Amino acid sequence: MYLVEIDRAFRKPTYTIGRLYCNKEFICNTLEDVDRDLNRNGIFDNGEYKVYSETAIPNGTYDIQFRYSPKFSPQYGNKPMPYINNVSEFTGVLFHWGNTNKDTSGCILVGYNTVKGKVTDSKKAFAIVYDKLWRHKDELLLKIY
């Protein structure tokens, strides 16, 4: 098993900044939409709710598989993209590049949190993350907390 972890370090009213680790090694930061799983139990309950295209996936453990993305694969040499599977109430969740919460729509952006509320050098970070995930594509496990 190749463990990918996202430690959501900064939960803000309009975005969430995290730290991405691969087998305990810090790789880069992440940017997601608002984490509405306030009690962090992996489901929307007790008044928690999903807002389409403005909500981070719930905390939990997920499978990552590579699949073709009509939007992102053509921009990345027609390579398959890392999708996060079996997310309740979500479809099409993947890792990709971008800089602000307007670029995410529920996906996980990678980069470096050098500007408050954003990630920078996202395509560079994505290439590093992609390489690590691709080399271990048959044994990926994602934990988000």
Side-chain angles (χ1 to χ4, degrees), residues 26-75:
F26 174 77
I27 305 301
C28 64
N29 295 106
T30 60
L31 175 64
E32 300 175 79
D33 284 316
V34 178
D35 180 7
R36 299 180 196 280
D37 182 11
L38 301 177
N39 60 11
R40 301 180 189 169
N41 69 351
I43 57 175
F44 297 124
D45 59 359
N46 298 317
E48 301 165 340
Y49 58 93
K50 176 185 175 187
V51 176
Y52 179 78
S53 199
E54 295 180 10
T55 302
I57 65 174
N59 296 275
T61 302
Y62 303 98
D63 177 45
I64 301 172
Q65 292 181 338
F66 281 80
R67 297 195 312 253
Y68 183 83
S69 163
K71 181 175 181 179
F72 291 99
S73 291
Q75 298 177 48

Side-chain angles (χ1 to χ4, degrees), residues 79-126:
K79 294 179 180 178
M81 301 296 290
Y83 274 81
I84 302 162
N85 293 313
N86 304 320
V87 182
S88 180
E89 299 185 46
F90 288 77
T91 58
V93 180
L94 60 149
F95 285 96
H96 64 82
W97 56 87
N99 301 110
T100 71
N101 65 327
K102 296 192 185 316
D103 299 325
T104 171
S105 294
C107 293
I108 299 173
L109 307 182
V110 295
Y112 303 95
N113 184 220
T114 59
V115 177
K116 187 175 183 176
K118 298 180 180 182
V119 290
T120 58
D121 291 320
S122 188
K123 285 193 175 180
K124 178 181 173 184
F126 181 77

Side-chain angles (χ1 to χ4, degrees), residues 1-5 21-27 136 139:
M1 176 185 65
Y2 190 76
L3 182 61
V4 180
E5 295 174 281
Y21 298 89
C22 289
N23 274 358
K24 304 294 183 188
E25 174 191 3
F26 174 77
I27 305 301
H136 300 278
E139 55 180 337

